[in-house]
Amino acid sequence: LFIAGLSCCVAMSMPQVHIVAYCTDLGFGAAQGAQMLSLMMAAGIASRLLSGWVSDHIGGLRTLMLGSVLQGVALLLFLPFDGLVPLYVVSGLFGLFQGGIVPSYALIVREYFTPKEAGARVGTVLMATLLGMALGGWLSGVIFDFTGSYKAAFVNGIAFNLLNVSIVLFLLYRVRAATQVKLA
C-alpha cells in the first residue's frame, strides 16, 4: 500500500502542480491554467463524496482500482489534447477521477487490518501519498527541464499510475485467493 500510495500520487500531482505552467507554455496564460486547476480541485470534492458512496457498495480496494484506472485514462487524455476547451474538459475529468483515491487507502486499512494496527498503518500510507505528491511535482519539473516538454512528464505520470494499478490488481488477486481458500 505504501508503494501504491506513493506511485498514485506521483501521477496525481503532475497535472495539479504543472497545469498553470503548461497552459502558459501553450500560450493560454496563467489565468486559464488557474481556472483549470480550480475546476480540477472542485471536481475533486465531488469525487470524494461520490467515491465514498461507491466504496460503501464495492469496498475500498475496488474503489481504489476504479479511481486509479480512471486517473490513468485522464492522464492519457492530456497527451493528445492541447486546445483550451479540451484542456478544461480533461482537467474536470481528472478532478472527478482522482479525488477519491487517497481516502480509499484509509478504507482499505480499516477493511483488512485490525483496529490495533490501523493508526500506524493509515499514518504510514497517507505519509506515502504526501511523499508521492511532493516527488511527483518535483520530478515532473525535472523532466520538463530536461526535455523541454510536458508530454514527457505526463508519460512519467502514466508510468507511475500503471505501477499503482499493478499493485492494486495484485492486492485484489490476493484478497480473492484468500477468500476462495476460506470458502473451501
Side-chain angles (χ1 to χ4, degrees), residues 58-72:
I58 66 172
L61 197 53
R62 288 186 180 96
T63 302
L64 176 60
M65 175 57 80
L66 179 63
S68 296
V69 168
L70 291 174
Q71 175 177 271

Side-chain angles (χ1 to χ4, degrees), residues 67-143:
S68 296
V69 168
L70 291 174
Q71 175 177 271
V73 169
L75 285 167
L76 280 169
L77 290 174
F78 276 107
L79 292 175
F81 298 111
D82 59 4
L84 189 60
V85 172
L87 283 175
Y88 275 107
V89 171
V90 173
S91 293
L93 287 174
F94 183 81
L96 280 174
F97 297 160
Q98 60 81 30
I101 293 175
V102 173
S104 295
Y105 288 103
L107 296 174
I108 293 165
V109 170
R110 184 191 74 201
E111 291 168 358
Y112 294 102
F113 295 98
T114 66
K116 184 178 179 181
E117 300 172 310
R121 292 186 187 269
V122 168
T124 301
V125 172
L126 293 183
M127 179 183 66
T129 65
L130 293 172
L131 289 171
M133 292 300 286
L135 177 62
W138 172 80
L139 187 56
S140 296
V142 169
I143 291 169

